[in-house]
């Protein structure tokens, strides 16, 4: 009797141990299934073989495809660009200190260039046409300070607007959204300092050159690669897209544009 009871107890203990050891395996298998669903091709195979409802299978198939293509394209672009040469933000030894935008007949004068300050800062005097300026944006590499030399300028900073009169100053730190616009029907004069120097001179030379040649209108270039290069030269980014998404993408596309030789058409503006 005792032997029989011992055998029964042993069998029961074995069953309990087997059940306990099986539980984690089931959980792992469930989690593994959900993880595999994140990989669209594998997910398609698994979900259509499962017993899930037809509407869920169709939803995953239809919604998952564009997401898979978007993520795949984004990842491919960023990884490919990581192996390319860094973006060149340098400017040639130019004697002209002032560039003129013939469309609005206003200018930018480079008072101190990156080469002259050893990359510490850039100092540019910008003429703003009546009610002209730029829209909300931020820079990831430098802080920007503004001093009004003539007229009145409206500064957007941290979601608010500030009016600066002659002699007034304001500053936008790295990654802070901002804009500046002439608040008058006459030209205003603004002194812009970027710290450290980070491609502002090249951006202005290229932008004004494209405008003068009719290749940049309504804040958009005819050649999309040139638009990406303009944004990347000064690492300027726009609202509406998260920084973790647009910053790597614009940097990568600009490096690809340079690798493709799309910047050669711009040499005449800055070399």
């Amino acid at each position: 009797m005792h032997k029989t009871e011992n055998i029964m107890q042993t069998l029961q203990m074995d069953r309990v141990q087997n059940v306990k050891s099986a539980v984690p395996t089931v959980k792992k298998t469930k989690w593994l299934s959900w993880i595999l669903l994140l990989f669209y091709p594998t997910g398609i195979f698994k979900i259509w073989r499962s017993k899930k409802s037809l509407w869920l299978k169709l939803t995953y198939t239809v919604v998952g495809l564009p997401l898979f293509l978007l993520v795949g394209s984004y990842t491919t672009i960023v990884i490919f660009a990581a192996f390319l040469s860094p973006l060149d933000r340098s400017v040639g030894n130019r004697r002209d200190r002032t560039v003129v935008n013939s469309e609005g007949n206003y200018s930018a004068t480079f008072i101190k260039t990156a080469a002259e300050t050893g990359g510490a800062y850039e100092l540019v005097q910008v003429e703003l046409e009546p009610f002209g300026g730029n829209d909300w944006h931020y820079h990831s590499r430098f802080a920007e300070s503004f001093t009004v030399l003539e007229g009145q300028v409206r500064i957007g900073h941290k979601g608010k607007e500030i009016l600066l009169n002659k002699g007034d100053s304001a500053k936008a730190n790295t990654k802070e959204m901002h804009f500046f616009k002439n608040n008058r029907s006459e030209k205003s004069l603004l002194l812009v300092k970027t710290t450290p120097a980070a491609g502002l001179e090249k951006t202005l030379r290229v932008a004004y050159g494209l405008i003068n040649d009719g290749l940049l209108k309504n804040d958009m270039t005819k050649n999309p690669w040139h638009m990406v290069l303009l944004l990347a030269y000064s690492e300027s980014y726009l609202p509406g897209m998260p920084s973790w998404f647009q910053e790597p993408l614009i940097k990568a596309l600009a490096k690809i544009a340079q690798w493709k030789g799309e910047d050669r058409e711009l040499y005449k503006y800055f070399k």
Side-chain angles (χ1 to χ4, degrees):
M1 282 292 292
H2 289 296
K3 286 184 178 180
T4 305
E5 287 177 359
N6 289 337
I7 291 170
M8 292 295 292
Q9 287 176 355
T10 302
L11 289 172
Q12 286 177 350
M13 288 177 66
D14 286 343
R15 284 198 196 103
V16 170
Q17 286 178 350
N18 288 336
V19 168
K20 285 182 179 179
S21 62
V23 171
T25 306
V26 171
K27 285 185 178 179
K28 284 180 184 177
T29 305
K30 270 192 173 183
W31 278 109
L32 182 61
S33 297
W34 282 109
I35 290 171
L36 287 174
L37 284 176
L38 295 177
F39 297 93
Y40 185 75
T42 307
I44 283 289
F45 176 75
K46 286 189 67 65
I47 201 166
W48 281 98
R49 289 196 62 185
S50 70
K51 295 180 180 179
K52 298 186 183 301
S53 61
L54 180 61
W55 72 265
L56 185 61
K57 293 177 181 179
L58 290 172
T59 300
Y60 177 83
T61 303
V62 174
V63 175
L65 180 58
L67 286 175
F68 171 72
L69 293 175
L70 177 64
V71 173
S73 301
Y74 181 94
T75 305
T76 301
I77 288 169
V78 171
I79 292 175
F80 174 72
F83 296 94
L84 301 179
S85 302
L87 188 64
D88 181 13
R89 294 184 174 85
S90 64
V91 175
N93 186 20
R94 302 286 298 231
R95 293 185 178 181
D96 54 325
R97 307 288 293 196
T98 299
V99 290
V100 178
N101 179 337
S102 59
E103 187 177 83
N105 193 29
Y106 58 96
S107 65
T109 300
F110 307 105
I111 298 172
K112 286 289 184 181
T113 66
E116 292 168 341
T117 65
Y121 66 92
E122 289 173 284
L123 195 60
V124 185
Q125 181 178 284
V126 181
E127 270 188 338
L128 297 177
E129 64 179 325
F131 304 110
N134 51 37
D135 295 314
W136 287 104
H137 66 282
Y138 73 91
H139 306 287
S140 62
R141 297 190 69 208
F142 59 82
E144 201 168 18
S145 59
F146 314 99
T147 302
V148 178
L149 301 178
E150 292 290 343
Q152 188 181 66
V153 178
R154 186 159 43 98
I155 302 289
H157 184 222
K158 296 183 177 179
K160 299 179 180 179
E161 294 187 10
I162 310 167
L163 274 181
L164 300 183
N165 295 301
K166 185 176 179 179
D168 293 340
S169 297
K171 182 180 180 181
N173 292 316
T174 306
K175 291 185 178 291
E176 285 184 348
M177 282 284 181
H178 63 279
F179 72 80
F180 59 81
K181 288 183 183 293
N182 187 356
N183 203 49
R184 303 195 317 168
S185 58
E186 302 172 3
K187 287 183 181 180
S188 289
L189 200 57
L190 187 66
L191 190 65
V192 180
K193 182 180 182 180
T194 62
T195 309
L200 181 60
E201 180 186 358
K202 190 168 187 175
T203 302
L204 289 175
R205 286 186 180 275
V206 171
Y208 281 28
L210 289 172
I211 290 171
N212 293 340
D213 289 343
L215 300 175
L216 196 166
K217 292 184 178 180
N218 300 319
D219 297 326
M220 184 58 64
T221 59
K222 285 191 175 181
N223 183 337
W225 291 111
H226 292 167
M227 193 71 238
V228 173
L229 286 166
L230 272 177
L231 291 171
Y233 284 151
S234 60
E235 295 211 10
S236 300
Y237 302 102
L238 309 174
M241 283 191 293
S243 57
W244 58 262
F245 178 84
Q246 67 169 315
E247 287 186 24
L249 182 61
I250 289 174
K251 290 175 185 176
L253 289 173
K255 289 172 70 175
I256 292 172
Q258 182 177 266
W259 171 72
K260 282 169 53 64
E262 297 290 343
D263 60 334
R264 288 174 191 156
E265 295 176 39
L266 310 176
Y267 283 179
K268 60 182 178 180
Y269 303 131
F270 62 83
K271 278 192 175 291

